[in-house]
Amino acid sequence: AASTCGTAPTRTHCGQTSRCGRRGREHVCVFEARPGARLRSCVRGRRVGPMAAPAVERAEALAAASVDDVAGVIAASMGLPGAPPMPQHEANVWLSEFSRLERAWEVALTLVATPEVVAEVQFFAANMLLSKVRVSWQASSDEVRAMVYGALMERLQVVVAGDVAYTDAVLKRIVLAIASAAAMSGGETLATFVAQSLGLASESASAASVRLCFDLVEALAHETLNRPHVHKSHTVAALGEHMVSLLGLAEGVLAGATDALVVACCKCLEACVPAGVTLGNLQRHRPSVLAGVLACLGADSADVFNAAVDVVLTLLGDAAAVLAPGAAPRGSEDGSSGEEAPSGVEVEEASAGVAAVVDGLLAQRPRFDAAVASSNAELCRGLCRIAVAIGEAALEALAAGDERATGVIDILLECTQHESMDIRMLPLDFWPRLGRVDVSARAEHLQNPLFRSVLERVLRACVYPGEGEEEVDEEDFMPFRERQAAECLEVCFSELGAECTQYLSGVLEHAETGDGGWQAAEVVLFAARCCKLPIRSMLRTANPDEGFVAAQREVAAFLRRLFDLIGSKAPVVCAHPKVIAAAVRCVASFAALVAKQGDAVDGVVGYVASALMVPDARKFAAEAFRTICVHCAARFCSDDALRELAETGEAAVGAGLTGSPRESYMGGLAQIVAASPPELVFGRLSRVVAATMERLVGCLDEAAGPAQTRAAVACVELGVLGAALRFGGGGVEVPAGAAHPVVALLESVFETLEAVAGALGRDRAVADALSEVARNTLQGARDYGQAVLPQLCSLALGLFDAHGHRSCLDVIGEVVESYGEVAVADAGLGGSLSSSFAAVCARCIAIAEADPQGVRGVYEVLGGLFTLARQFVMYAPTLLLALPEVEALLQLAAACADHEDRQQAVAALHFVRHLALLASKADETSAAALAHLGGASAALVPAVVCVLADPRMAQVHTPAANALYAVVGALGGVDEATIGAAFDAAAPRAKPGALTDAVAGAFARAALSADAAGHDEGAFTAICSDFAALCRGGEGRGVLAAYA
């Protein structure tokens, strides 16, 4: 009767029902009343847990509940004083069941209409009405809809007459419910509603009536125009008939009315933008309305100011869509509606509207300057948002750089250095967009001079505070620097070139003298890293121009200066963990350039190695070390250098170096070893991993701690060993007859790995780590890996047989994919792999049969099995097709094709498709593949058709269509019995109307795309239409035959 659906939790109880669509069935999601409470249950018509009762008695009790009973349960659900003694959870479940009854309409309306009912209960009842209108209106009878709509309109009349005073929250819900009901009814009801709403604002109407008029129109627009709605076009038409009256009313209100009324007017105008209240239309037909909105930007009331800002932003957003190059047609999201793109008149009107907004913004410049001086963040934020929106709507006009454009850009510059971080962030997306405008289209003062100012301001905003200054919030500061600020700095270098590094050099000199402190050095290192792509591109570019060559030299000199400071461990780059982290990250970004710095490299690597002891810099230092070793590993091949680096790594392990940073450092050491003379590689590699193996052996001692702790340690050590195996063999020239050092190392530690697998392999993380060791070995040994294939496969298959971990299958798959059928056979593994795969199939089928409901582990194992089978089909088909288990595997694939675990279903369908494609080839393997496929077709075809007929399996439709086409094509058609079975099985799954002709037809088009050119267009369209009929649940037994 109940299940958890995973719908996102709500923070407050509002009485609103929702549909989560779990398994295609609709049910009510019930939430706790406490703020932040978690989802409790999803109820389908019966009580849960301790509330269990016979369904008939339960239904009778709900139907007999009085209005007072319902009010009491609502009070209990909300924890109101004086509520009946009823647990909140029980009250929530009761209300969710009651809200689905038809009688809930009447009870909710009564509660809303009763003045004595407390406001909280009235709010709940009004929200219940709104929810039922949105969800159940179309399914209700005409009588019920007429009763509810009439009662809601009666409430509206009572409010207008002043006989009842609802709280704002209750009245808003009532207004939304009326507007939603009118919108869902459409036709004459909708048109009458709009006329009645505007009729409330007659010349003699009170301010409350006029505000109610705006609220009703806003609610209607909110319910229809800003979301998919069946009557959206009707709403636009109804509002269009009265738009002159609405704008005339707005004009009068904006000219002089109470703040509350002006706010309501602005919200109404904002909601009506999709109905034609656009910037261009206002500027051409009602400029006084636009002027009134812009004048509100100077209002003293914060509510009026913010409402005006929201209107202007929405208008500018609409104008940006019109003015954008290649703008989509009006009312369309992708330009596919068939309507015409914006006309030249529309573009001209939108441009004029944007110009009016620019004038309105610049009129507030004195107020903006005063707000900056007085730290009025709210006003600065609002005006800055408008300036940014102008930049989005009219970028080219701003780039032209006239006086008005310069005024807007000055506001953005000022905001770039604002004391409030959230304001500093607003204009940072504008500068890269401006920088991408061609230089020839930009005014001269919007080229280098402007971006020099942007560079100064952005750098200043990125500096960490000094001693005695307020600390920054790292959660906000780091994203600000790493995202928006980083992109700005990159654009600044692209614009300024060597002039940018000149400025950074000046800041660095300031830091070296001690005036700027470590903060100045850190921001220079940060900026250099942000500019790594344009800097590296500049230094690689061959350009004979003398000015460009001089700029290249200057940039290279700047980098050398940075590397010299780092290599010499100057105090300014060692003064704080953050500057150390910035330095090693900068080194990693320019590792190839660092490698060319001669003797300075030794000092830089020493600095990076010492940074391993700094917690904040540790992971960056390890990655920087590995990256440098990619470019100059041979420089550190001496015994003394390698020993020193290894000892530094071990000391860092004692200080907390672990996980992926430790693997990165080991990768660097392994690359140094691989660059050593071939005869020394194995010995050095063994010494480098000696401490790792010692700790790994220690994990086998039960006295060393609990199994879980030892498993965690083993995972870390296996990761480090894997890094050594992966990077320790690259480029090694193996003498004839000698073993590859990676192969030799694996053989020397294999006994320990088997012991770890036996003792700790039950832990999934350990199994994954062992599998990763195997894959790293294959990558490290490359062409020499065949020698250890038997051991790797034995390790993986043994682990899988004992514990059934998915990652073990991935190892076998990588062996097959990396070496193929011939190499596997040369290694003597053909028979072993075939028998092993047969054992894997049997094991997976046994797992699935033992747990038919399927736990997550089973999903993964079956997905791994199908992925492995597909790899065999592609790279070792002869080994696979010789197995009698293939047909059982196909039967299992049919069972899993429509499984609720989508990844498993996709893996099964990919395997089926590749086997069918193999069967279609004219070679020695096709006959065996076709025989297996024919034996399973009676199960496969209906299973795949069921997937295509089920709208809940939309994520799987494309691979299913491809698999079906491949199977039917390989078989050359299927018999009538299979066709009948397919459609008999699919019929209950299909949901009429769930898929449109275009969407359903797309499945057929995707599958037939390869052959579409050869089809008669009419016949091809007919095939797609027939296929679409199946997806809609239509009669179509001949569809599959036509499809084939």
Side-chain angles (χ1 to χ4, degrees):
S3 71
T4 301
C5 71
T7 302
T10 188
R11 288 193 174 276
T12 57
H13 190 292
C14 62
Q16 190 167 339
T17 58
S18 63
R19 305 184 213 179
C20 76
R22 177 70 169 171
R23 298 176 183 269
R25 295 187 290 268
E26 296 176 3
H27 55 276
V28 179
C29 301
V30 184
F31 302 92
E32 277 275 36
R34 296 189 302 275
R38 297 177 62 190
L39 176 67
R40 287 300 189 184
S41 63
C42 299
V43 184
R44 300 192 187 98
R46 287 189 292 171
R47 292 192 177 190
V48 292
M51 299 173 61
V56 175
E57 294 180 11
R58 178 88 179 140
E60 290 176 351
L62 286 170
S66 67
V67 174
D68 289 340
D69 292 336
V70 177
V73 177
I74 293 174
S77 74
M78 304 182 78
L80 299 179
M86 188 180 193
Q88 283 185 332
H89 173 60
E90 183 176 342
N92 288 337
V93 173
W94 193 97
L95 288 168
S96 70
E97 295 178 350
F98 178 80
S99 67
R100 288 179 296 156
L101 300 179
E102 188 171 299
R103 185 166 175 273
W105 290 112
E106 179 183 351
V107 172
L109 286 168
T110 302
L111 288 172
V112 170
T114 305
E116 294 78 16
V117 176
V118 297
E120 292 85 355
V121 174
Q122 281 190 326
F123 174 78
F124 189 102
N127 211 47
M128 184 186 294
L129 286 171
L130 173 61
S131 177
K132 285 182 71 65
V133 169
R134 287 173 173 170
V135 175
S136 308
W137 191 257
Q138 299 290 7
S140 300
S141 65
D142 292 341
E143 293 78 8
V144 169
R145 284 190 282 184
M147 180 273 294
V148 173
Y149 190 73
L152 289 171
M153 291 302 292
E154 182 183 343
R155 289 293 91 209
L156 192 62
Q157 293 167 6
V158 169
V159 172
V160 172
D163 297 336
V164 142
Y166 289 111
T167 64
D168 287 343
V170 174
L171 182 58
K172 182 175 178 61
R173 282 295 184 262
I174 294 174
V175 166
L176 282 170
I178 297 173
S180 183
M184 297 292 284
S185 299
E188 186 178 345
T189 302
L190 177 57
T192 303
F193 169 80
V194 175
Q196 290 175 335
S197 298
L198 288 166
L200 294 172
S202 62
E203 292 184 6
S204 59
S206 64
S209 294
V210 176
R211 180 179 176 184
L212 188 58
C213 165
F214 285 130
D215 289 344
L216 286 166
V217 175
E218 179 201 353
L220 177 64
H222 172 79
E223 289 293 307
T224 55
L225 303 182
N226 298 314
R227 64 178 71 182
H229 198 283
V230 67
H231 292 309
K232 178 181 289 189
S233 60
H234 298 165
T235 301
V236 172
L239 288 173
E241 290 182 10
H242 300 275
M243 192 57 71
V244 173
S245 300
L246 178 62
L247 293 179
L249 177 63
E251 183 178 354
V253 168
L254 292 171
T258 62
D259 289 347
L261 199 53
V262 172
V263 169
C265 175
C266 288
K267 289 182 177 179
C268 180
L269 291 173
E270 180 187 1
C272 290
V273 168
V277 184
T278 63
L279 194 56
N281 284 337
L282 288 177
Q283 176 62 16
R284 181 179 182 183
H285 302 291
R286 286 281 182 168
S288 55
V289 174
L290 180 57
V293 171
L294 294 173
C296 290
L297 296 176
D300 294 330
S301 167
D303 291 338
V304 173
F305 172 78
N306 289 326
V309 168
D310 291 338
V311 179
V312 173
L313 291 175
T314 304
L315 290 169
L316 286 170
D318 179 80
V322 174
L323 296 172
R330 282 281 191 182
S332 111
E333 294 180 358
D334 58 0
S336 61
S337 68
E339 300 179 26
E340 295 182 0
S343 65
V345 173
E346 286 181 304
V347 171
E348 184 180 339
E349 291 175 350
S351 299
V354 173
V357 173
V358 171
D359 291 337
L361 174 65
L362 295 180
Q364 303 299 324
R365 181 59 194 262
R367 194 164 184 237
F368 172 79
D369 293 337
V372 171
S374 62
S375 300
N376 185 343
E378 186 173 18
L379 197 148
C380 292
R381 185 182 299 109
L383 296 178
C384 181
R385 291 174 66 198
I386 293 175
V388 171
I390 291 171
E392 294 175 355
L395 181 60
E396 293 182 0
L398 290 187
D402 62 16
E403 184 178 353
R404 296 156 68 248
T406 302
V408 175
I409 289 174
D410 285 344
I411 291 176
L412 293 171
L413 271 175
E414 189 64 44
C415 291
T416 303
Q417 61 181 359
H418 196 275
E419 60 185 3
S420 175
M421 185 179 300
D422 68 320
I423 295 176
R424 288 203 300 267
M425 293 174 67
L426 291 175
L428 291 193
D429 289 334
F430 170 76
W431 304 121
R433 285 199 300 270
L434 182 61
R436 286 190 285 269
V437 175
D438 190 82
V439 175
S440 62
R442 272 187 277 147
E444 186 176 350
H445 67 280
L446 299 185
Q447 298 176 21
N448 282 22
L450 172 66
F451 281 92
R452 173 67 179 250
S453 299
V454 173
L455 173 65
E456 295 173 1
R457 285 163 170 77
V458 172
L459 272 185
R460 198 177 301 128
C462 291
V463 175
Y464 276 97
E467 292 185 11
E469 298 178 0
E470 183 180 356
E471 291 292 324
V472 295
D473 184 348
E474 290 284 347
E475 291 186 1
D476 293 332
F477 190 56
M478 292 306 295
F480 162 76
R481 286 187 10 139
E482 297 296 332
R483 295 174 192 165
Q484 289 100 333
E487 187 179 4
C488 274
L489 291 171
E490 184 178 340
V491 169
C492 286
F493 180 86
S494 299
E495 285 287 323
L496 300 171
E499 188 178 345
C500 177
T501 54
Q502 287 173 5
Y503 180 78
L504 293 177
S505 295
V507 177
L508 188 61
E509 184 176 347
H510 188 59
E512 289 182 87
T513 61
D515 296 334
W518 65 265
Q519 291 90 343
E522 191 276 340
V523 82
V524 170
L525 292 162
F526 164 73
R529 174 170 61 84
C530 293
C531 300
K532 62 179 184 260
L533 294 179
I535 286 178
R536 292 194 303 225
S537 174
M538 179 188 188
L539 295 179
R540 284 196 301 264
T541 301
N543 188 332
D545 180 76
E546 293 184 4
F548 185 82
V549 172
Q552 282 181 318
R553 292 198 192 101
E554 192 163 344
V555 172
F558 166 73
L559 291 178
R560 280 196 300 274
R561 183 180 179 188
L562 284 182
F563 301 147
D564 288 342
L565 281 176
I566 294 170
S568 63
K569 296 185 179 180
V572 73
V573 294
C574 300
H576 194 276
K578 292 193 183 300
V579 73
I580 296 173
V584 293
R585 295 183 75 178
C586 185
V587 167
S589 298
F590 296 102
L593 295 174
V594 171
K596 299 176 182 178
Q597 300 305 310
D599 293 340
V601 176
D602 299 337
V604 172
V605 170
Y607 179 92
V608 169
S610 63
L612 293 171
M613 306 301 289
V614 181
D616 288 351
R618 188 169 288 146
K619 67 177 181 178
F620 305 120
E623 183 58 30
F625 176 72
R626 189 193 66 77
T627 308
I628 290 177
C629 290
V630 169
H631 301 283
C632 56
R635 187 176 184 87
F636 306 100
C637 282
S638 68
D639 284 335
D640 291 341
L642 183 60
R643 185 185 307 109
E644 183 179 351
L645 289 170
E647 289 173 353
T648 299
E650 280 302 305
V653 171
L657 180 67
T658 187
S660 57
R662 188 172 160 209
E663 293 173 21
S664 295
Y665 192 76
M666 175 56 78
L669 289 176
Q671 287 177 94
I672 294 174
V673 170
S676 304
E679 65 275 10
L680 300 179
V681 173
F682 172 69
R684 289 184 169 184
L685 202 56
S686 299
R687 288 197 298 274
V688 165
V689 301
T692 295
M693 294 309 302
E694 184 178 340
R695 283 188 282 267
L696 200 55
V697 171
C699 295
L700 302 174
D701 185 2
E702 295 184 1
Q708 186 175 2
T709 302
R710 291 184 287 120
V713 174
C715 287
V716 173
E717 303 305 329
L718 288 169
V720 175
L721 175 62
L725 290 166
R726 179 178 180 181
F727 295 106
V732 176
E733 296 182 5
V734 181
H740 191 280
V742 169
V743 173
L745 178 63
L746 181 73
E747 290 175 341
S748 69
V749 302
F750 194 76
E751 185 176 344
T752 301
L753 296 182
E754 286 189 313
V756 171
L760 302 171
R762 181 178 298 276
D763 188 289
R764 174 175 170 169
V766 173
D768 291 347
L770 285 165
S771 300
E772 190 63 24
V773 167
R775 289 196 291 270
N776 280 322
T777 301
L778 293 175
Q779 293 180 35
R782 301 186 187 281
D783 297 334
Y784 301 89
Q786 294 97 322
V788 290
L789 291 186
Q791 291 169 299
L792 296 179
C793 292
S794 171
L795 178 67
L797 291 170
L799 262 176
F800 182 79
D801 187 57
H803 307 296
H805 293 302
R806 155 78 189 259
S807 58
C808 306
L809 300 181
D810 295 339
V811 174
I812 307 300
E814 185 144 346
V815 168
V816 174
E817 191 168 329
S818 299
Y819 294 97
E821 203 161 55
V822 175
V824 166
D826 291 345
L829 284 177
S832 172
L833 272 182
S834 295
S835 59
S836 298
F837 186 78
V840 166
C841 289
R843 169 78 169 149
C844 288
I845 292 171
I847 291 174
E849 290 175 348
D851 186 8
Q853 299 301 318
V855 297
R856 185 67 189 171
V858 177
Y859 296 163
E860 293 180 344
V861 167
L862 292 178
L865 171 64
F866 293 125
T867 300
L868 178 59
R870 177 178 57 79
Q871 290 170 310
F872 266 94
V873 169
M874 295 174 68
Y875 302 103
T878 304
L879 296 179
L880 177 71
L881 296 174
L883 300 175
E885 289 80 8
V886 174
E887 194 162 327
L889 187 61
L890 284 169
Q891 297 286 347
L892 183 60
C896 294
D898 67 341
H899 201 281
E900 66 179 20
D901 184 274
R902 303 298 190 257
Q903 290 183 346
Q904 173 188 311
V906 169
L909 290 165
H910 281 330
F911 160 62
V912 170
R913 176 173 178 263
H914 279 84
L915 186 65
L917 293 175
L918 181 65
S920 301
K921 294 181 178 179
D923 57 25
E924 63 277 7
T925 60
S926 60
L930 190 59
H932 288 303
L933 204 60
S937 62
L940 277 173
V941 172
V944 179
V945 171
C946 281
V947 172
L948 290 168
D950 192 341
R952 295 169 299 173
M953 301 291 288
Q955 293 171 302
V956 192
H957 280 159
T958 298
N962 291 335
L964 179 62
Y965 183 59
V967 169
V968 177
L971 295 175
V974 292
D975 56 66
E976 288 294 329
T978 303
I979 294 176
F983 286 96
D984 289 341
R989 305 279 292 276
K991 186 176 182 182
L995 299 175
T996 64
D997 288 352
V999 173
F1003 303 142
R1005 293 178 193 277
L1008 290 171
S1009 58
D1011 299 329
H1015 283 292
D1016 174 74
E1017 183 63 27
F1020 181 62
T1021 302
I1023 290 173
C1024 295
S1025 298
D1026 284 345
F1027 194 80
L1030 164 67
C1031 295
R1032 295 196 310 276
E1035 294 294 328
R1037 277 183 169 272
V1039 175
L1040 188 57
Y1043 186 70

